[in-house]
Amino acid sequence: MSFVEYGDTIKDGDTAIVFLGHESMFPVKVQHGTVTQTKYGVIRHSMDLIGKKYGSKVTCSKGGWVFILHPTPELWTMNLPHRTQILYSTDISIITMMLELKPGSIVCESGTGSGSLSHALIRTVAPTGHLYTVEFHQQRAEKAREEFREHGLEHLVTVTNQDVCKNGFGVSNIADAVFLDIPSPWEAIGHAKAALKAEGGRICSFSPCIEQVQRTCLAMEEYGFTEINTLEILLRVYNVRTISLQIPDLGKAAEDNSSTGLDNSNPSNQGSPGTNLQQGTVQFKSGVPLREMVGHTGYLTFATKS
């Protein structure tokens, strides 16, 4: 099993996603002889999972059923254990596009955090690219290495435990793109420039506060970066609802009046036959925005090495 290569059959040691319903799923490590408890009953890994195809409908001990899904970076983002605040697919999608990533690209990242963006970057640059990710916190770096190994990604990523603001990324003049998600990104702009290829490399910095963005932009200008641009991505979800509205009586009365020669401006003609017809209703689908939505997550600042 790998997050970048699809496997048809569930095997011992795989990471799978148990799908109970919309917004109700969780990851599970498949192990021979192990059971997993759900609200629909027990899932026995040996009998119910190993050897079955991904996407299979599995019946639990209480008679309920779940689907077993192959892991993807998007599903992992929704279900991973949070060690830090993470980036979600809304920001991840614009990051991979604006950094112009493709298979074979070399990317530097700091910090690794919970690995949400890391999995998406690896999937984008696979099978010939590579991710160099730096994490300041030792335990988070070790956990990230363990997850990449379990997910079949260790040959596509190098995890380094060091302070990127002081020691950089450990590579020079090879990266096609650099991503920064650290408290003081302006202190790492020089190291990012050193890691990028000689010309045309792209950089992105994620910061929740506009003051961080201002200092980062000044540092980018100081180091000669061009095309500096800051974006904020907001996701607005709509609910589809059935709405009933009364049909307005616009044509019948007018038609009757024109045929009989009645003048509605004359008070004596008000209340004539045909003006008090019973009105019906019509139903139609309409999109209604949610009353609450996810607001500000962070600012994305992009620039190009000149």
Side-chain angles (χ1 to χ4, degrees):
M1 185 278 303
S2 172
F3 275 58
V4 296
E5 297 176 359
Y6 181 78
D8 189 57
T9 305
I10 304 172
K11 298 180 176 61
D12 187 17
D14 283 3
T15 298
I17 305 297
V18 180
F19 181 88
L20 291 81
H22 293 292
E23 299 182 356
S24 179
M25 59 184 115
F26 60 89
V28 61
K29 184 174 181 179
V30 180
Q31 293 179 316
H32 183 77
T34 303
V35 298
T36 297
Q37 295 283 349
T38 73
K39 62 181 180 180
Y40 300 126
V42 173
I43 300 174
R44 297 161 294 181
H45 292 201
S46 300
M47 299 180 61
D48 299 330
L49 299 184
I50 297 177
K52 300 290 182 64
K53 289 187 176 182
Y54 279 106
S56 297
K57 182 178 179 179
V58 174
T59 302
C60 304
S61 61
K62 293 182 180 179
W65 47 266
V66 299
F67 286 106
I68 308 300
L69 306 181
H70 192 283
T72 64
E74 291 79 12
L75 288 175
W76 184 245
T77 291
M78 299 171 62
N79 295 280
L80 58 79
H82 285 225
R83 299 182 289 273
T84 60
Q85 291 284 354
I86 69 169
L87 291 177
Y88 290 91
S89 297
T90 306
D91 289 313
I92 291 174
S93 60
I94 197 71
I95 290 170
T96 55
M97 184 191 75
M98 295 293 288
L99 289 182
E100 302 174 2
L101 302 182
K102 59 186 181 297
S105 296
I106 306 298
V107 186
C108 293
E109 175 198 25
S110 182
T112 311
S114 300
S116 173
L117 177 64
S118 303
H119 282 77
L121 294 177
I122 294 171
R123 195 263 306 272
T124 303
V125 304
T128 56
H130 200 85
L131 172 66
Y132 294 90
T133 182
V134 178
E135 173 56 51
F136 175 77
H137 194 277
Q138 182 178 359
Q139 292 180 337
R140 288 201 292 264
E142 293 174 353
K143 185 62 178 178
R145 288 194 194 97
E146 179 183 344
E147 286 181 349
F148 293 142
R149 183 171 57 254
E150 292 178 352
H151 298 166
L153 306 175
E154 67 274 10
H155 63 293
L156 296 170
V157 58
T158 299
V159 182
T160 305
N161 173 220
Q162 63 186 28
D163 186 352
V164 69
C165 296
K166 295 181 179 179
N167 307 114
F169 293 94
V171 296
S172 299
N173 301 320
I174 65 170
D176 298 288
V178 170
F179 177 79
L180 298 174
D181 183 7
I182 54 179
S184 52
W186 55 89
E187 296 181 0
I189 298 300
H191 295 295
K193 182 177 181 180
L196 287 168
K197 59 185 181 182
E199 185 177 357
R202 294 279 286 167
I203 183 175
C204 174
S205 174
F206 177 90
S207 297
C209 301
I210 195 65
E211 292 80 8
Q212 294 171 303
V213 174
Q214 292 171 331
R215 296 189 64 175
T216 302
C217 289
L218 291 175
M220 288 179 175
E221 288 183 345
E222 181 182 348
Y223 281 96
F225 284 89
T226 59
E227 299 178 344
I228 301 174
N229 186 28
T230 298
L231 309 175
E232 182 183 20
I233 311 300
L234 300 178
L235 177 65
R236 190 176 188 186
V237 180
Y238 279 73
N239 276 342
V240 178
R241 297 179 181 176
T242 301
I243 296 178
S244 297
L245 289 180
Q246 195 173 34
I247 301 175
D249 187 2
L250 301 176
K252 185 64 176 176
E255 180 181 346
D256 291 345
N257 291 342
S258 62
S259 62
T260 58
L262 295 178
D263 183 5
N264 286 334
S265 63
N266 189 341
S268 63
N269 292 332
Q270 297 299 323
S272 300
T275 60
N276 294 322
L277 295 178
Q278 184 178 2
Q279 296 178 350
T281 60
V282 63
Q283 292 185 338
F284 63 95
K285 299 290 186 180
S286 177
V288 181
L290 300 179
R291 293 187 178 182
E292 296 181 358
M293 62 173 282
V294 177
H296 172 76
T297 57
Y299 300 102
L300 295 170
T301 300
F302 297 91
T304 302
K305 183 178 179 180
S306 178

